[in-house]
Amino acid sequence: ILPADGTVTDPQAPIDPNAPPVATADTATAEPTPQDAVAVIRDYYAAINRRDFAQAHAMWSDGGRASNQTPEQFAAGFADTTGVSIEIMPPGQVDAAAGSRYIEVPVALTATHADGRQQRFVGAYTLRRAVVDGATPDQRAWRIGTADIREGAP
């Protein structure tokens, strides 16, 4: 049922590509939101599940260097993984540091291996973005800075 004004608030509802953008404080200032940080994590695991490890690696800060792995090492880490399901909890508050913003996104993951075995992991990703004058659009976007993901109970 649509509200009286006809707006659709269901995030799963189809988007009309011809509709004008909705002006909000966030879109008016073009500042990435906490929801944008959550979307990075969702997109990260979508890329992993597609086996597009180059794209997933690139979602880490500094062109993937923040993962502390080469693209080849990163891909090898998922060689036995056939899929990952993810539960994303509400993100924390955006914190400021000199020239940067940070946000923590807690997650619970289940990785399925080629032999059917499943592993459960819990933890959080810390995403970072630059806010200094002269930062590129890529530097201003949320990127994975660090991860604290540990194996948990199945």
Side-chain angles (χ1 to χ4, degrees):
I1 299 175
L2 291 176
D5 67 358
T7 60
V8 177
T9 57
D10 178 1
Q12 300 301 319
I15 297 172
D16 177 0
N18 299 317
V22 177
T24 65
D26 291 326
T27 58
T29 60
E31 290 296 316
T33 66
Q35 293 75 24
D36 293 328
V38 168
V40 168
I41 299 302
R42 196 169 279 123
D43 292 347
Y44 175 70
Y45 280 99
I48 288 169
N49 283 329
R50 286 192 313 273
R51 305 194 68 75
D52 186 349
F53 302 122
Q55 180 182 359
H57 186 260
M59 295 174 125
W60 285 81
S61 291
D62 299 323
R65 287 184 291 284
S67 72
N68 294 316
Q69 296 179 316
T70 66
E72 295 77 19
Q73 291 168 325
F74 183 85
F78 292 99
D80 184 47
T81 304
T82 58
V84 180
S85 62
I86 182 168
E87 178 185 354
I88 301 175
M89 275 62 91
Q93 297 296 322
V94 175
D95 291 320
S100 298
R101 299 292 180 267
Y102 293 87
I103 189 167
E104 187 174 273
V105 179
V107 298
L109 312 166
T110 302
T112 303
H113 297 276
D115 64 4
R117 182 176 49 94
Q118 291 190 326
Q119 281 182 288
R120 181 113 168 120
F121 299 90
V122 294
Y125 287 93
T126 300
L127 285 80
R128 177 188 176 276
R129 65 184 202 82
V131 294
V132 294
D133 289 340
T136 67
D138 188 59
Q139 292 168 328
R140 290 183 174 276
W142 289 118
R143 294 285 180 250
I144 301 169
T146 61
D148 183 11
I149 308 295
R150 301 165 192 251
E151 190 167 2

